[in-house]
Amino acid sequence: MKIIPLFFLLLAGSALQAQNIPFIKADQITRWKTADTDTVYVLNFWATWCGPCVAELPSFEKLNRAYADQKVKVILISTDFKRNVETGVKPFVRRKNLRSEVVFMDESNPNNYINLVDSTWTGAIPATLILSKRKDGSQFFEKKLNYEELEAAVKKAQ
């Protein structure tokens, strides 16, 4: 009998944990870019209101699962309006059962981070930056990506 309530407590705890969406500032981009690590970072800039962004999320989730045992970190960076994080982003993440790390870009002016990501970025989303210290470089995509494109970019970065 005690196992069932414990199971529900654990389940509720993991559901709450999944909804923790840290707020980051532009300097986090610099930290990822300069990190002294052999981890490949896959940074996807998206929003809940962006149709192409939402359409490509399953590819990022698949990549996250496929490379879970490797040094590849998928980070989904929400660019939604700050006022919509609690009422829009968190319910969306829960409803879509996103398992990749989700963070919120807490900058009122996108120009504070756009050039940090890539000098060619117009600010349009979806956009993805793949960082690899091992290969001394990055790959930037300002378009919707499918799984095959993502995987090819990650393999190139490894």
Side-chain angles (χ1 to χ4, degrees):
M1 284 303 251
K2 291 182 182 182
I3 293 175
I4 293 172
L6 179 59
F7 172 76
F8 286 113
L9 281 173
L10 289 173
L11 187 61
S14 67
L16 289 175
Q17 184 180 18
Q19 298 311 308
N20 181 26
I21 299 177
F23 284 31
I24 64 168
K25 292 291 191 181
D27 63 341
Q28 180 61 54
I29 304 292
T30 303
R31 286 196 291 278
W32 282 319
K33 287 179 114 174
T34 60
D36 188 19
T37 180
D38 56 353
T39 298
V40 173
Y41 288 98
V42 179
L43 310 178
N44 176 251
F45 295 83
W46 67 286
T48 57
W49 49 263
C50 168
C53 300
V54 172
E56 75 176 357
L57 285 174
S59 296
F60 285 92
E61 288 293 282
K62 182 177 179 181
L63 186 79
N64 190 43
R65 286 189 307 274
Y67 287 82
D69 63 343
Q70 298 180 40
K71 292 187 175 191
V72 174
K73 187 161 179 75
V74 176
I75 304 171
L76 305 175
I77 303 172
S78 169
T79 61
D80 283 88
F81 294 111
K82 187 174 186 175
R83 67 180 177 265
N84 295 336
V85 171
E86 291 296 323
T87 59
V89 179
K90 286 184 178 183
F92 178 90
V93 168
R94 183 175 50 247
R95 189 172 55 254
K96 295 291 186 180
N97 198 27
L98 298 180
R99 296 295 177 212
S100 300
E101 181 177 353
V102 178
V103 299
F104 174 75
M105 180 54 73
D106 187 21
E107 292 287 349
S108 59
N109 184 348
N111 291 326
N112 292 343
Y113 62 88
I114 287 174
N115 284 335
L116 285 174
V117 173
D118 192 271
S119 63
T120 66
W121 189 16
T122 66
I125 54 174
T128 302
L129 177 65
I130 299 177
L131 300 169
S132 172
K133 192 72 162 185
R134 182 183 301 160
K135 297 289 183 166
D136 286 330
S138 64
Q139 300 168 70
F140 179 71
F141 305 91
E142 188 175 20
K143 65 176 190 168
K144 177 181 156 194
L145 295 172
N146 62 39
Y147 180 75
E148 291 74 23
E149 292 169 313
L150 274 171
E151 186 174 43
V154 167
K155 285 183 177 182
K156 182 179 175 184
Q158 289 181 308

